[in-house]
DNA sequence: ATATACTTTTTACGCGCGCTAAGTTTTGAC
DNA sequence: GTCAAAACTTAGCGCGCGTAAAAAGTATAT
């Protein structure tokens, strides 16, 4: 490896013994040049560490090879996990992913979308804030940029939506809980930051009605994404209030459930399905840590792999075709019931 | 807001009624133009949504306003949390942060550093893989780009290192555990992916010796970042082996501890400090979820805020000064003992 | 050998902006 | 009203590359 600095493609082309446009062509698609030419370039590539200037490249290309990945809250392991999958898929497919987190704030989401727009990305994988999103901004963005929405659906926006069938999650869990014990009450936030809470509540109400049981919903106070803390604090409040109608509780998501488990522990309640336990607690999401709670959390898990794969594939297809789908596609994946010992 | 599309700075300058260089000057520093001129530009900015083409801008500036943030594993809530802090600080200071995760892989870390180099960043905040890092690559990178290392120190590399005093963590915890009960044994990974494990082991050995106790270390088998799972599986193996010399165990980090708690639960062991408990479990890190385990985890917490603040400030100072510090600076923050009920 | 279809080279322009130098206007202090 | 300083305008180069068109070269088939 020579230490000689190569300034630009012109110089590098000289080292290869080919012309600059040919080198340019090579970088756009190594297969588009003759095998012999390719070898010469690749040999030079090993002797000198030259990289095309990304800014010059992107300025001149109509569309870049960038892909934006936007999640509402990256410190949530659920999104961290999905982002990890997506990033890897993008790299494998030869794109340059850029990762953004809205940190739960509308202004930041808007700002990210604006930044993204000026990046001329080939496409964007967007998990919007949901209710907290600025609908008009997101809508306009999706018109301008090929976008796959995931996790959180905003009706009519984006070319494709890929996510989980949230009512199915709740319905399956309610059914399971009813068959194995007392019908559950429902623990959720009054003003949830995460997008799918509304659908889950409705799913609970519908499922309970279908099973012929009276629903009971407890709404936790609190704002923001500190879900475990809210689950703990409000869980204690709920337990102390004596309002609980049932010894089975379904939490709107695993993070609330983790908090609620802590509340139970603090109140000396034994959680689980065995005879000597006082209460059953279930969650929803298949949170990466849900198998390590005490007791391990019974939950309905997203099909992470499928959601990431499908989102990425959909976007890649759109990019390759060059045209957006005529009608909006929606793909919902079922969740998988994971029976552990908490419920 | 007019819908008229503005193609470039030339056009936008015309709308403002000022010349292009003046607009350019404004975007580089709004205070560098006369107040009246600034008003005219900002009014136009409200009527038309123009943004300078970031690729053209970055191509022509010697240094961009980009800051790279690199962490070894973003799906680890510890790094997610720090990354969130850092990102916010960069934006506040007028920079454009780009977030990268090495996903625990050396090749990816190298690739990220290469990408970063070609981004001509003003500076980089780097939490390296540590032992798994390619020392030469990181070293060369730090010579080329102003870099603040954080969390994981690589001796002699980078202009500044900001992190926690890991031996102090272990030492403090060992002291606490010895004063309140049986001296702890130590639970760690044989080949830990996280960088500071070595220092913690040494800290344990030193502290035990200082206290006049015989150390006992159990090394968990397993590779990668699935620390909870390893803690659970190997925890069970340890408990079943009957090798445990003490009823107090200190885990090398909170994620292992979370797994170990699950192992205890599964084995019917009651964890905690009260009389009716069988075992005390402590962790290290102040993991965001450590307060929601059952029982809540006694741990030594990083000073997240201080580490992020200091890292960011150090980098900003280097960037503003324009010159790198003559000698390498190291700043270690003490951890805070957080007494909960697990130990 | 000749025709045909690819590849590659040459030449040249354009992208949008940073930056500089020279000339012009505006500002504010006296 | 004068005058120097500050802010502006005009003009123009350069950054590193994509890309298009035309010319030249090269592989494959007849």
């Amino acid at each position: 490896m020579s230490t000689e600095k190569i300034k630009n493609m012109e110089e590098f082309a000289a080292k290869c013994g080919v012309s600059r446009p040919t080198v340019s062509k090579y970088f756009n698609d190594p297969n588009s040049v003759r095998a012999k030419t390719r070898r010469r370039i690749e040999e030079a590539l090993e002797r000198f560490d030259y990289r095309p200037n990304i800014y010059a490249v992107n300025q001149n290309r109509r569309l870049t090879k960038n892909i934006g990945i936007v999640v509402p809250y990256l410190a949530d392991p659920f999104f961290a996990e999905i982002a990890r999958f997506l990033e890897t898929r993008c790299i494998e497919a030869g794109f340059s992913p850029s990762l953004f987190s809205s940190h739960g704030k509308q202004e930041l989401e808007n700002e990210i979308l604006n930044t993204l727009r000026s990046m001329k990305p080939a496409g964007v994988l967007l998990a919007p804030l949901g209710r907290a999103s600025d609908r008009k901004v997101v809508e306009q963005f999706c018109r301008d940029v090929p976008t796959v929405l995931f996790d959180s659906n905003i009706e009519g926006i984006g070319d494709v939506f890929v996510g989980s069938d949230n009512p199915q999650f709740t319905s399956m869990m309610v059914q399971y809980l009813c068959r194995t014990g007392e019908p559950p009450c429902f623990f959720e936030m009054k003003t949830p930051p995460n997008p799918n809470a509304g659908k889950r509540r409705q799913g609970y109400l519908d499922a309970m009605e279908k099973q012929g049981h009276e629903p009971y919903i407890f709404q936790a106070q609190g704002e923001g994404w500190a879900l475990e803390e809210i689950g703990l604090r409000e869980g204690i409040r709920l337990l102390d209030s004596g309002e609980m109608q049932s010894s089975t509780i379904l939490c709107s998501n695993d993070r609330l459930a983790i908090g609620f488990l802590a509340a139970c522990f603090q109140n000396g309640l034994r959680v689980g399905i065995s005879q000597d336990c006082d209460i059953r607690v279930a969650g929803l999401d298949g949170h990466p840590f849900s198998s390590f709670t005490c007791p391990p959390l019974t939950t309905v898990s997203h099909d992470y792999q499928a959601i990431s794969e499908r989102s990425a594939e959909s976007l890649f297809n759109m990019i390759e075709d060059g045209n957006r789908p005529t009608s909006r596609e929606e793909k919902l994946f079922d969740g998988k019931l994971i029976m552990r010992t908490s419920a």
Side-chain angles (χ1 to χ4, degrees), chain A:
Chain A
M1 169 75 77
S2 165
T3 61
E4 192 179 340
K5 285 285 164 214
I6 292 199
K7 231 184 47 187
N8 53 31
M9 197 178 277
E10 193 76 52
E11 272 187 37
F12 179 69
K15 298 287 182 192
C16 303
V18 300
S19 72
R20 187 179 68 77
T22 305
V23 173
S24 169
K25 223 171 155 229
Y26 167 83
F27 277 111
N28 280 321
D29 177 9
N31 286 314
S32 67
V33 302
R34 200 191 302 153
K36 203 171 73 188
T37 311
R38 179 170 175 176
R39 263 211 321 282
R40 288 168 80 173
I41 296 177
E42 284 172 352
E43 275 167 18
L45 223 38
E46 290 186 6
R47 286 186 300 136
F48 310 93
D49 68 332
Y50 165 75
R51 287 197 165 202
N53 180 309
I54 51 171
Y55 298 118
V57 170
N58 286 334
Q59 172 171 28
N60 292 303
R61 261 212 272 266
R62 259 246 248 45
L63 242 48
T64 67
K65 290 231 117 195
N66 295 331
I67 286 187
I69 302 176
V70 188
V71 297
Y73 202 78
L74 197 49
D76 186 321
F78 167 73
F79 289 112
E81 198 61 15
I82 292 227
R84 195 167 61 87
F85 274 120
L86 291 178
E87 218 182 329
T88 306
R89 286 295 293 120
C90 288
I91 292 174
E92 284 169 359
F95 293 97
S96 301
S98 298
L99 186 53
F100 297 90
S101 164
S102 308
H103 297 329
K105 296 182 200 136
Q106 187 185 85
E107 319 85 70
L108 197 49
E109 183 172 89
N110 290 350
E111 183 56 29
I112 289 169
L113 294 184
N114 274 328
T115 302
L116 227 34
R117 196 199 307 273
S118 66
M119 284 177 65
K120 297 190 288 188
V124 169
L125 294 159
L126 169 64
L129 293 173
R131 283 179 313 287
S133 285
D134 192 330
R135 197 184 203 281
K136 277 186 192 162
V137 173
V138 179
E139 192 164 13
Q140 184 58 50
F141 179 82
C142 290
R143 265 203 288 275
D144 297 345
V145 182
T147 302
V148 168
L149 253 57
F150 68 97
D151 181 60
S152 164
N153 198 359
I154 306 188
E155 290 301 332
I157 290 184
D159 301 301
V160 181
F161 170 73
V162 180
S164 289
D165 184 348
N166 283 282
Q168 181 262 344
F169 275 44
T170 342
S171 153
M172 163 172 284
M173 182 58 90
V174 168
Q175 233 179 90
Y176 163 77
L177 292 173
C178 290
R179 290 191 181 190
T180 50
E182 223 176 328
C185 59
F186 193 68
F187 185 60
E188 67 163 358
M189 284 177 68
K190 193 177 165 77
T191 57
N194 52 331
N196 292 312
K199 293 201 174 146
R200 293 182 178 178
R201 173 200 297 137
Q202 195 55 49
Y204 167 74
L205 292 173
D206 293 347
M208 287 294 275
E209 186 178 9
K210 203 166 166 188
Q211 310 272 324
H213 299 297
E214 195 67 26
Y216 177 82
I217 296 184
F218 181 86
Q219 295 195 317
Q221 308 283 335
E223 302 284 333
W225 283 84
L227 306 186
E228 293 84 0
E229 195 180 323
I230 291 170
L232 168 57
R233 189 191 60 223
E234 294 292 292
I236 290 177
R237 200 164 67 81
L238 170 57
L239 293 172
D240 289 348
S241 74
E243 276 182 37
M244 259 191 72
Q245 311 275 333
S246 164
S247 67
T248 300
I249 190 163
L250 170 56
C251 302
S252 176
N253 62 68
D254 284 351
R255 294 184 58 192
L256 275 180
I258 288 172
F260 193 82
L261 286 180
C264 293
F265 183 86
Q266 199 166 310
N267 266 30
L269 288 174
R270 277 161 309 177
V271 177
I273 44 176
S274 53
Q275 292 303 330
D276 57 340
C277 290
D278 308 304
I279 186 172
R280 298 191 302 162
V281 177
L284 296 172
D285 272 344
H287 189 290
F289 295 169
S290 62
S291 41
F292 308 106
T293 55
C294 301
L297 190 61
T298 289
T299 184
V300 177
S301 173
H302 294 276
D303 193 340
Y304 289 80
Q305 188 89 38
I307 292 177
S308 330
E309 283 292 343
R310 181 60 169 261
S311 306
E313 294 313 323
S314 300
L315 186 60
F316 298 160
N317 286 337
M318 276 172 59
I319 292 172
E320 276 175 22
D321 293 2
N323 52 10
R324 326 271 286 261
T326 48
S327 69
R328 190 167 187 274
E329 292 169 17
E330 285 196 14
K331 175 63 188 176
L332 299 183
F333 288 96
D334 280 357
K336 286 184 222 145
L337 177 65
I338 300 190
M339 287 175 282
R340 301 203 184 96
T341 54
S342 79

